[in-house]
Amino acid sequence: MATNAGGLGPSSEVSVRNLIRSFGPKGVLNGVDLDIAPGEFVALLGPSGCGKSTLLRALAGLDHDVRGSGVVKVPEQVSVVFQDSRLLPWDTVLGNVTLGLRDHDADARGRRALAEVGLSGREKAWPHELSGGEQQRVALARSLVREPKLLLADEPFGALDALTRLKMHALLKDLVAAHRPAVLLVTHDVDEAITLADRVIVLQDGRVALERKAGSAVDHSSLRGELLEALGVHAAA
Amino acid sequence: MTTTAARRSATIAAPRPKGDAGTHQGVVVEPHLDPALTSRPDVRPTSRRLGPGKRRRFAGVVGPAALILLWVVASATGLLDPRILSEPWTVVSTAGELIADGRLQENLAISAQRAGLGLFFGIVVGAVLAVLSGLSRVGESLIDGPVQIKRAIPGLALIPLLILWFGIDETMKVLTITLGVFVPIYLQTHAGLRGIDLRYVELAQSLGLSRAGFLRRVVLPGALPGFFLGLRFAVTGAWVSLVVVEQINSTSGIGYMMELARTYGQTNIIVLGLAVYGVLGLLSDAAVRLLERKALSWQRTLAG
């Protein structure tokens, strides 16, 4: 695991050095360093406005008009899952999944990806005919059909109800285990971060404030308390 | 016990026969399989319905039919002087005569050809300009201003110049229609295109779509609702421009037929011409709407 933030070794899939981004006079990211190893699942926590989404958008290359500096190295194959499923309403479910695929077997791959997220048979449906959870599963299929080396997810389950969210956690875990991309999950849900990630990072005032290993070897309740403390929630554990 | 409930809802449906509840005891009956369901009371709270409700068949015919009925009644009762407006039956018999000697079809064919060609070129020009101006800042600064200027100039005012440039043959007529048609197509398509949610543009970027792919999969389908709105204006506009060019200088077409009738004081032919324009306008609008419903079936709107 590339927890040594200083090393720029070939082992890291993502490497970010001294990343600075600002909207107007206010700095949003004030020198962020981040490494993600191949296949590693990193969760990014932080209060609203701490720069989580700005960091993710910088990695996705979606911040053309934002001023800043620093070095960002990401693999060629990057997929993004947004908080809204962001399906084109005028395209069918399958059309949305294969959007931008140029190979001749795109349809077959799209169908396989839909089967993987449990949506076989809904290929011809319009997005508005699906439930919120189903729409987000289509968005997952769309990002994984590209076989990304890096999956960026910006609060992908934030708009879902609690039960659907738990099902989506299990699905995402299975999908990540099958495809092995490096993952950066932006979330405000501490439990989501602990259950899913190998490593949790807390971002505060545009800097990495805390970095902890998660996963099965770690005591979840003490990690949860520590993360909540770092996020400024002083609740009894 | 069903007695109180049944009595309360007696005005809505007949109460179930006595003893019926006993025969079903312990048996689970699927609601939709139960034949007694239709005779059961259906009492439910209802909220105020705010949408226009379900689409009804032939709903579009009601208004025009009422208008014709009014005309028939006014003529039959003598309320309407035939010298001011011919009776409907005179117009029908005139139509019969003109069809018999082939004049109506002939003039209709040439009119339809002009409108069709003008519409076709107008759609192509309007749509292409809208995409160019909608997707590039250079295109916008070059195209949008001149189109807005053209929009401010009435189509009629251009005809003298067009006659000087192109003479009075078909080119001038089709061009006049084209100039009238492309403006609404441009305006509405451009507005539709600019109204595409920025989030979809971001999505296309994150998926690495090519420019062509972005145009085909995001821009064009996203601008389609606006385009269809423009098309409905354009189709009606094409018939309007047609009347103008055919009545000013022409030796054929429905407008010419009407202009000739004016010279001889034949109200019946004038009214027939108006009726033909009306029917054409109604039919073409219905055709566009049908096309629109097919093409935009992904939309979920009040139209239903």
Side-chain angles (χ1 to χ4, degrees):
Chain A
M1 296 287 148
T3 36
N4 54 328
L8 231 175
S11 65
S12 53
E13 195 75 86
V14 174
S15 90
V16 176
R17 286 294 169 275
N18 198 22
L19 188 67
I20 294 172
R21 288 287 186 270
S22 60
F23 300 103
K26 191 176 166 289
V28 179
L29 297 178
N30 303 310
V32 171
D33 294 320
L34 174 70
D35 286 277
I36 304 177
E40 189 187 12
F41 197 133
V42 175
L44 190 60
L45 280 168
S48 293
C50 70
K52 304 189 293 278
S53 291
T54 309
L55 176 56
L56 181 128
R57 295 171 61 83
L59 290 178
L62 289 174
D63 56 352
H64 301 274
D65 299 326
V66 184
R67 294 194 309 118
S69 63
V71 180
V72 177
K73 286 184 183 156
V74 292
E76 187 128 337
Q77 246 68 39
V78 180
S79 283
V80 187
V81 184
F82 301 92
Q83 179 170 8
D84 58 305
S85 59
R86 214 164 286 203
L87 303 177
L88 298 176
W90 47 78
D91 231 327
T92 59
V93 164
L94 183 62
N96 268 288
V97 171
T98 58
L99 187 65
L101 289 184
R102 267 159 244 167
D103 12 359
H104 59 279
D105 65 337
D107 271 11
R109 281 172 56 193
R111 280 171 206 284
R112 274 204 300 278
L114 279 171
E116 260 189 288
V117 298
L119 285 175
S120 282
R122 305 306 303 273
E123 289 87 355
K124 292 264 185 302
W126 296 116
H128 75 70
E129 294 171 325
L130 304 183
S131 71
E134 287 173 329
Q135 291 181 9
Q136 204 54 291
R137 280 194 267 160
V138 176
L140 272 179
R142 178 180 58 197
S143 53
L144 289 171
V145 79
R146 271 144 251 274
E147 295 294 341
K149 289 267 183 287
L150 172 64
L151 178 67
L152 299 168
D154 190 0
E155 299 192 24
F157 313 128
L160 303 177
D161 66 87
L163 288 176
T164 311
R165 197 179 310 164
L166 288 178
K167 286 182 197 158
M168 293 295 285
H169 287 168
L171 176 65
L172 181 62
K173 244 185 167 153
D174 291 347
L175 289 172
V176 167
H179 295 265
R180 304 299 303 158
V183 184
L184 182 69
L185 171 78
V186 167
T187 178
H188 56 248
D189 184 338
V190 172
D191 295 312
E192 180 172 293
I194 295 174
T195 355
L196 292 175
D198 304 317
R199 184 154 58 102
V200 183
I201 290 173
V202 176
L203 205 64
Q204 207 137 38
D205 301 323
R207 281 196 187 80
V208 175
L210 189 74
E211 189 172 346
R212 288 290 177 271
K213 281 202 166 197
S216 48
V218 181
D219 174 25
H220 279 189
S221 74
S222 71
L223 177 59
R224 184 170 187 275
E226 192 181 6
L227 289 171
L228 283 173
E229 192 78 24
L231 290 165
V233 182
H234 307 286
Chain B
M1 280 291 125
T2 59
T3 48
T4 47
R7 206 180 303 131
R8 213 179 299 141
S9 55
T11 49
I12 293 158
R16 299 174 61 190
K18 262 189 184 169
D20 188 43
T23 58
H24 284 289
Q25 239 169 20
V27 183
V28 180
V29 182
E30 287 287 315
H32 60 280
L33 294 177
D34 186 358
L37 192 67
T38 46
S39 62
R40 279 188 191 162
D42 178 16
V43 185
R44 56 175 114 177
T46 47
S47 62
R48 185 188 300 269
R49 189 195 279 279
L50 293 175
K54 262 164 68 177
R55 175 179 292 279
R56 294 184 199 286
R57 297 190 75 182
F58 310 116
V61 192
V62 175
L67 203 65
I68 290 171
L69 189 71
L70 193 71
W71 183 19
V72 170
V73 170
S75 294
T77 54
L79 220 63
L80 204 60
D81 190 331
R83 281 169 302 178
I84 292 173
L85 192 64
S86 300
E87 300 100 334
W89 44 91
T90 319
V91 174
V92 171
S93 65
T94 307
E97 286 161 27
L98 288 180
I99 290 171
D101 67 11
R103 272 166 67 196
L104 189 63
Q105 301 93 301
E106 205 179 290
N107 285 317
L108 190 59
I110 188 80
S111 287
Q113 190 197 329
R114 285 168 187 152
L117 279 175
L119 196 61
F120 171 75
F121 290 123
I123 290 171
V124 172
V125 170
V128 168
L129 288 182
V131 169
L132 288 178
S133 150
L135 286 189
S136 92
R137 295 291 168 199
V138 178
E140 185 182 24
S141 51
L142 285 178
I143 294 166
D144 198 58
V147 175
Q148 299 296 341
I149 293 172
K150 162 65 194 73
R151 187 181 160 209
I153 300 174
L156 265 173
L158 278 173
I159 289 181
L161 198 61
L162 290 175
I163 290 176
L164 279 178
W165 287 354
F166 299 100
I168 56 165
D169 62 357
E170 291 303 301
T171 313
M172 185 279 287
K173 297 190 183 78
V174 171
L175 198 64
T176 307
I177 297 169
T178 301
L179 285 173
V181 160
F182 95 90
V183 174
I185 294 278
Y186 170 86
L187 287 176
Q188 302 298 342
T189 310
H190 186 260
L193 205 148
R194 278 289 158 92
I196 293 174
D197 200 320
L198 215 55
R199 296 176 311 139
Y200 297 137
V201 182
E202 203 176 79
L203 171 75
Q205 285 173 5
S206 83
L207 294 178
L209 246 66
S210 63
R211 235 178 201 278
F214 175 56
L215 196 69
R216 203 166 53 82
R217 301 291 293 271
V218 180
V219 174
L220 294 183
L224 215 52
F227 169 79
F228 273 111
L229 185 61
L231 189 57
R232 285 182 66 186
F233 283 116
V235 166
T236 328
W239 295 117
V240 172
S241 303
L242 183 71
V243 185
V244 173
V245 290
E246 285 188 341
Q247 291 195 344
I248 285 186
N249 45 63
S250 191
T251 53
S252 59
I254 298 288
Y256 166 72
M257 192 182 84
M258 289 165 71
E259 191 54 25
L260 205 64
R262 184 189 63 81
T263 325
Y264 297 116
Q266 296 163 308
T267 331
N268 51 344
I269 296 185
I270 295 177
V271 175
L272 174 65
L274 290 176
V276 168
Y277 276 133
V279 169
L280 287 176
L282 207 62
L283 286 181
S284 45
D285 194 54
V288 173
R289 275 204 268 184
L290 185 73
L291 208 65
E292 188 178 4
R293 265 221 301 287
K294 293 265 178 259
L296 303 183
S297 53
W298 53 269
Q299 273 191 333
R300 203 171 34 161
T301 60
L302 270 185

